[in-house]
Amino acid sequence: MKQKLVALTGAGISAESGLRTFRDGDGLWESYRIEEVATPEAWLANKEQVLRFYNERRRQVLQAMPNAAHQGIAALEEIYDVTVITQNIDDLHERAGSRKVLHLHGEILKMRSERNELLIQEIRSDIQLGDLAADGAQLRPHVVWFGEAVPQIEVAIPYLEQADIFVLVGSSLAVYPAAGLVDYVAERAPRYIIDPHVPPLPSRGNFQLIAQPATTGVAYLTELLERG
């Protein structure tokens, strides 16, 4: 029976595929303030702007390719029962070959009714103002905005509690409630953090820091795990 390895990934892993985030700026995301494009209030105030912003994000994701970090995590499935819990809305983990991926903050390649969050469908092109879901409501990106509930958190918690090995890759641990998931990892489980910038760590320690970008850090982690 394979050991359970859980990888919690954030913006840093996709940044090496060329996908920019607001994490490294001054609260700006592609020249937009987060409050202008990634909140329910922004949607109510200017749906066209929000759609335009996410249409551009979708195009960027479709043009991006998985990098060595995504591929390295997928390759760990040969040895471990791997679950990827990602804060990212791209599909780079899936394209790299990971078979069990839980998206905490939604998926940019899906859209849903603004009225019924269960009316979800795939999208590879732009969403336009006037594009309607089956219930007659405007379609919006299937992403979790700041200020919205994160329903997948409850789904993710048991994976963390049962993890034999935990790896945090490219997350600043700045966005809650996702950052709080680290607290559910059992103390017995080896815990690794891959990030060139050390995020604030929970009080209970036993984290091994790999202060490298995701691509080289995942390769180094794989070597460590192979050595036992």
Side-chain angles (χ1 to χ4, degrees):
M1 203 154 161
K2 292 181 177 179
Q3 283 188 301
K4 297 179 188 297
L5 184 150
V6 174
L8 175 60
T9 69
I13 194 169
S14 292
E16 291 189 76
S17 288
L19 297 180
R20 291 177 58 192
T21 74
F22 71 93
R23 170 182 169 180
D24 297 316
D26 300 317
L28 297 177
W29 193 358
E30 299 285 348
S31 303
Y32 288 94
R33 291 173 63 245
I34 296 306
E35 295 81 6
E36 296 173 346
V37 291
T39 64
E41 292 77 16
W43 176 249
L44 292 173
N46 193 337
K47 293 181 182 180
E48 195 164 9
Q49 175 172 271
V50 173
L51 289 174
R52 186 165 59 246
F53 175 80
Y54 282 98
N55 286 340
E56 182 58 31
R57 304 288 75 69
R58 191 177 303 105
R59 288 186 216 115
Q60 290 178 349
V61 166
L62 290 168
Q63 290 168 2
M65 298 297 292
N67 62 50
H70 297 104
Q71 293 160 348
I73 290 173
L76 289 171
E77 290 188 15
E78 295 176 18
I79 305 166
Y80 300 99
D81 176 3
V82 179
T83 301
V84 177
I85 300 171
T86 187
Q87 295 172 272
N88 301 332
I89 59 176
D90 60 65
D91 68 336
L92 297 181
H93 280 297
E94 288 90 340
R95 279 195 268 152
S98 288
R99 288 177 289 184
K100 211 164 23 170
V101 183
L102 180 64
H103 287 268
L104 293 176
H105 297 150
E107 300 175 65
I108 191 65
L109 299 182
K110 293 182 180 178
M111 58 184 176
R112 71 173 191 247
S113 162
E114 67 174 342
R115 220 166 27 218
N116 183 350
E117 61 186 37
L118 300 179
L119 281 180
I120 304 167
Q121 58 193 93
E122 294 192 0
I123 176 74
R124 292 292 186 278
S125 55
D126 290 353
I127 307 173
Q128 305 292 352
L129 204 58
D131 290 348
L132 304 181
D135 62 351
Q138 171 67 42
L139 284 161
R140 55 160 278 185
H142 179 49
V143 297
V144 176
W145 289 323
F146 290 91
E148 290 187 319
V150 186
Q152 293 300 311
I153 286 288
E154 296 301 322
V155 180
I157 288 171
Y159 290 106
L160 276 300
E161 292 174 332
Q162 295 164 22
D164 297 304
I165 301 168
F166 172 72
V167 186
L168 178 71
V169 187
S171 174
S172 62
L173 293 181
V175 178
Y176 280 84
L181 286 174
V182 175
D183 295 328
Y184 290 93
V185 181
E187 290 192 37
R188 59 172 173 73
R191 289 175 274 183
Y192 301 88
I193 293 180
I194 300 172
D195 200 299
H197 311 291
V198 187
L201 300 176
S203 52
R204 44 199 194 83
N206 152 100
F207 284 89
Q208 182 165 339
L209 176 64
I210 301 172
Q212 299 181 31
T215 47
T216 57
V218 169
Y220 181 69
L221 169 72
T222 302
E223 289 178 18
L224 286 179
L225 294 174
E226 285 173 352
R227 281 190 241 143

